[in-house]
Amino acid sequence: MTLKIAVVGSGPAGFYTADAILRSGSECEIDIFERFPCPFGLIRFGVAPDHEKTRSVWRAFTKTLGNESVRYFGNITVGQDISVDELLLNYNAVVITVGAGKDQPLNIPGADLEGVYGSATFVNWYNGHPDEANLSPNLNTNSVVVIGAGNVAIDVARVLLKTKQEMANTDLSSHAAKIIHSSPIREVHLVARRSAAEAKFTNVELREMGDLDEADPYLDAKVLPISVEGEMSDRDRRVREKNLITLREFAEIKEYTKPKKLNFLFCAQPVEIKGTGKAEAVIFERTRIENGKAIATGNRFQVPCGIVVAATGYRSEAVPGVPFDEKNGIIPNVMGRVSEGLYVAGWVKRGPSGVIGTNKTDARETVENMLKDLMPQEKSGRKAIDVLLTERGCRVVNFADWQKIQQAEENAATGGAPRAKFVNVRDMIDVLENSN
Ligand SMILES: Cc1cc2nc3c(=O)[nH]c(=O)nc-3n(C[C@H](O)[C@H](O)[C@H](O)COP(=O)(O)OP(=O)(O)OC[C@H]3O[C@@H](n4cnc5c(N)ncnc54)[C@H](O)[C@@H]3O)c2cc1C
């Protein structure tokens, strides 16, 4: 019997799920449903545009799409164009891998002012995500505050500080490049609630901040802890120790020669964003770390700025027809099992943490459990789905269609960039209609 599996979402978790099923050697048909014509989730819309090597994992995922057992149903939103119940009826199993694409709200006064963005929104904008194509942030400011102490915060700071030349060969969307490279930004303040020893940057990304053409990293050596304290894995300790060494090197820079500055501020939490109609300053309160907890000290200070980007976390959205744990922002599951025939993998399974590769182990666990559970049962699979989607007038973007869109993006690239991304769905579909 051929196992018929629907995978919902074409980010890393979706592809690693498909790969794990293929590797199991089971006779199978795997259908990958994706909301957008373009696959790859955060590989396209999250990973920094100047990190093409990291993004290049799309090549491996493309091989999976080309596998004869796999079919791509792009431009199909599950829960809207087709329901999860319809998938459950027609497949032996459905694996939800829809990620965590929304911002955690920044719950402080002033967070709704113009010029305050969550990093999901802001990163989506510069990476050409169709939902944010019209964001057009006003970057006519000298000063930006980025809140957060992880790689996403570092990515945002770096993309804002790199020059046009440094970004020339990258995947930065042209609508964002125009705004960023004509902005007068001189300072990016990267502000973390906890101490430098607890920052979650990976060391390679942190060190990159010392090599920017026009921006010097700046921090006050006095704020640096002597050592990394507390219980943690050896790996985490090594990363944090390396980060302290890098930050110490930054603090020892004697002469600031570059026109722009990346200012690291640790042990400060945002309490309010001030401004008349738009963000003009962030009020921070200093914290001290006690038993691993950041305790507010009552000591406040203000950082003037015109833009605030809060890189303080992502959250998933509920998929209609699938249970959702609002508090933890995930689909409740036990090692990937949700209910009969329904499984989950990736960020929507475990929450928004972990790198691309983390989703591989995660998807493998789900697939192992799924294959243990499945009983032989004939299902109609894609035959029935084709009928339903045609009846509903849905324009499915298949793998060959996606390759045409991808080719058009590559053909339109200029100045060493890998591609010129389409930033709205209509333009992607037009490529297909115009090629017929
Ligand atoms: C800004 C940022 C930068 C990052 N940089 C790195 C990095 O440099 N290196 C690294 O290793 N990791 C990085 N990561 C982490 C990495 O991107 C994640 O681990 C990974 O993308 C999570 O995979 P996922 O498949 O769970 O979710 P996603 O990648 O978000 O994929 C989910 C997919 O589901 C689709 N979808 C959503 N809802 C529906 C629906 N209803 N119907 C159909 N499809 C739907 C979405 O459109 C999307 O394509 C970064 C993350 C972020 C946010």
Side-chain angles (χ1 to χ4, degrees), residues 121-256:
T121 305
F122 198 76
V123 170
N124 278 345
W125 166 68
Y126 67 56
N127 272 330
H129 191 294
D131 286 354
E132 307 303 344
N134 300 319
L135 189 73
S136 207
N138 180 355
L139 297 191
N140 189 14
T141 175
N142 288 322
S143 169
V144 176
V145 165
V146 179
I147 301 167
N151 282 343
V152 176
I154 286 262
D155 283 350
V156 171
R158 192 182 63 253
V159 167
L160 289 175
L161 287 168
K162 272 192 170 179
T163 61
K164 190 174 175 184
Q165 288 68 32
E166 283 173 295
M167 292 304 283
N169 298 337
T170 75
D171 219 352
L172 181 66
S173 288
S174 58
H175 67 295
K178 249 185 235 142
I179 295 181
I180 293 172
H181 298 137
S182 60
S183 95
I185 293 172
R186 283 290 168 270
E187 284 184 319
V188 174
H189 305 272
L190 203 146
V191 192
R193 196 160 69 92
R194 307 171 76 85
S195 79
E198 290 153 295
K200 296 217 167 86
F201 318 123
T202 49
N203 191 251
V204 180
E205 294 234 341
L206 182 61
R207 270 185 296 152
E208 228 184 315
M209 305 315 275
D211 291 325
L212 303 183
D213 283 358
E214 285 199 351
D216 282 313
Y218 173 87
L219 84 154
D220 181 354
K222 289 199 289 292
V223 305
L224 286 175
I226 315 271
S227 59
V228 175
E229 304 295 337
E231 291 291 307
M232 68 195 76
S233 69
D234 289 348
R235 191 183 161 279
D236 280 353
R237 187 175 299 282
R238 271 198 306 277
V239 173
R240 290 177 187 205
E241 283 171 351
K242 273 194 197 168
N243 283 349
L244 278 188
I245 292 170
T246 306
L247 288 167
R248 209 160 283 130
E249 285 166 7
F250 290 170
E252 281 164 5
I253 296 175
K254 293 278 179 302
E255 218 181 317
Y256 298 98

Side-chain angles (χ1 to χ4, degrees), residues 5 7 48 117 126 182-183 193 210 232 239 288 331 360 362 403:
I5 315 286
V7 174
Y117 301 101
Y126 67 56
S182 60
S183 95
R193 196 160 69 92
M232 68 195 76
V239 173
R288 63 168 189 278
I331 295 176
K360 192 171 189 173
D362 180 293
Q403 286 185 303

